Amino acid sequence: MVYKRRLVSTEALVRKYFYNGYPLPDDSQIGKEIQYFWEFYRTLHPAVFLSYEREAYYALDGSDFRVTFDENILYRKDDLFPSTGQLIFR
């Protein structure tokens, strides 16, 4: 089972956060969890930028069944933010 949670932010704020330890200005539960893990694992840092096209399918019978297919998967290990660098097709 997978639980996904999201936090909306700008690229500039994420850069400040990961590279300078700049605190997140978000007091939501997920914001607090991110801050906790940042403080607990002081060595966390971006390692790869990943991009892909996803098709998602779900059951129409009301069950929780869902399957996704990813294609055109691209990555880079340098310039880890969307606005920089070239992607490598894998």
Side-chain angles (χ1 to χ4, degrees):
M1 184 173 290
V2 175
Y3 295 102
K4 292 185 180 180
R5 309 213 338 215
R6 292 171 175 83
L7 180 68
V8 177
S9 187
T10 64
E11 181 178 330
L13 185 58
V14 172
R15 282 176 180 264
K16 285 181 184 179
Y17 182 73
F18 276 108
Y19 291 117
N20 303 319
Y22 187 82
L24 288 173
D26 188 287
D27 199 34
S28 68
Q29 181 61 34
I30 188 65
K32 290 176 184 176
E33 290 174 17
I34 291 170
Q35 189 65 38
Y36 169 81
F37 280 104
W38 172 257
E39 291 169 3
F40 187 82
Y41 298 102
R42 283 291 189 183
T43 59
L44 284 181
H45 63 280
V48 67
F49 176 84
L50 185 64
S51 175
Y52 52 87
E53 294 176 18
R54 173 170 282 176
E55 275 191 73
Y57 299 90
Y58 59 92
L60 297 175
D61 63 3
S63 68
D64 289 336
F65 179 77
R66 183 174 187 260
V67 64
T68 59
F69 297 97
D70 298 338
E71 57 188 9
N72 296 325
I73 300 168
L74 306 169
Y75 78 97
R76 63 181 180 239
K77 293 182 179 182
D78 297 313
D79 298 320
L80 299 178
F81 289 90
S83 65
T84 60
Q86 298 292 316
L87 294 171
I88 301 168
F89 182 69
R90 182 77 169 159

